[in-house]
Each structure stands twice: as structure tokens, then as C-alpha cells.
Amino acid sequence: MIQDRILLVDGDITLLEMLEARLEARGYLVDCARSGNQALDILETRWVDLIVLAIVLQGGMHGFQLFKEIKSKKRLSQIPIVVQSSKVAMKKIFEMMGAETFFIKPYSVDVFLDKIEDILTKA
């Protein structure tokens, strides 16, 4: 069985580690990045089936910039991106830019994981 690979990108290491553990428990392969540059490095070396992206990242690039960078690359532009943030005002902007879905922090992790599964099942 081929496992789906998910890239988690979040500056909050506690949330990153918790989501990584929960996704791996469901059988997914998970890569983690705390900065936009780390995420781009991962995307240069391997394919992922889904990206979970926060707006607040470590380093100089924030999630909005990374989202635009990914969508501008033909090879990466079709990867579904799930955005998560406490910045409610960004929801409509990201949805208009092509985000698969937007989760407002804090959210139910179980609902979040079910949505990830739905997205990957449809892909």
C-alpha cells in the first residue's frame, strides 16, 4: 500500500510535533518544517500529497509568501494546501488564492484529521 506523504509547515513546534504524531498514528508519512525555506528544501527533494501550512513561521518567510511561492511553481501548484491560522481575516484571501480549506486556530484536531483524510481520499 502506498502511503500519502504530508508536509507540515508551522513555526509552533509544539503544534507541529503533536500533528506529526497524530498523522503518523493514522498511517501517513510526515515531513516537518518550521520555516518557509525548510519547506521549499523538502519540496525540492521529494513529492508530497498534501501541505498543511501555518501563516506564522520561523525565519524570514511567512506562510502567505510560501503559499504564493508554491502556487507559482508549475510542478507544485496542484498540491492541495490546508491553511491553519488564528488570523480569521485571512480565511477568505487564502480560499480565493486556492487553499483547499482553512482551519481557524484553535480547532478540533479530530475534525482536522478527518478533513485531511477526506482531501487525500478524493485526490
Side-chain angles (χ1 to χ4, degrees):
M1 178 179 153
I2 297 175
Q3 292 176 291
D4 289 316
R5 181 175 293 276
I6 298 171
L7 173 59
L8 297 176
V9 189
D10 199 316
D12 179 345
I13 190 136
T14 304
L15 181 61
L16 197 66
E17 290 175 347
M18 183 273 297
L19 288 176
E20 177 184 26
R22 296 286 302 270
L23 286 164
E24 286 177 345
R26 286 197 177 199
Y28 297 108
L29 299 171
V30 181
D31 291 302
C32 295
R34 291 188 308 251
S35 72
N37 288 330
Q38 282 180 330
L40 290 173
D41 288 346
I42 290 168
L43 291 169
E44 287 297 318
T45 60
R46 66 177 53 111
W47 177 258
V48 300
D49 299 290
L50 179 88
I51 300 168
V52 176
L53 175 62
I55 294 174
V56 178
L57 305 176
Q58 295 180 8
M61 184 185 304
H62 52 74
F64 185 77
Q65 291 168 305
L66 179 58
F67 186 96
K68 289 185 357 183
E69 180 77 17
I70 292 167
K71 289 298 185 184
S72 74
K73 296 180 183 281
K74 185 175 176 86
R75 185 178 70 80
L76 305 175
S77 65
Q78 297 305 310
I79 300 171
I81 302 176
V82 173
V83 179
Q84 53 173 344
S85 176
S86 60
K87 300 176 188 288
V88 179
M90 299 296 288
K91 183 178 191 301
K92 186 169 230 134
I93 293 167
F94 275 101
E95 288 174 345
M96 288 173 45
M97 291 173 50
E100 192 70 30
T101 193
F102 189 101
F103 276 86
I104 299 167
K105 293 179 182 179
Y107 52 79
S108 162
V109 175
D110 290 327
V111 170
F112 176 82
L113 294 171
D114 289 345
K115 182 64 175 178
I116 296 296
E117 192 171 309
D118 288 346
I119 292 168
L120 290 169
T121 301
K122 291 176 186 172

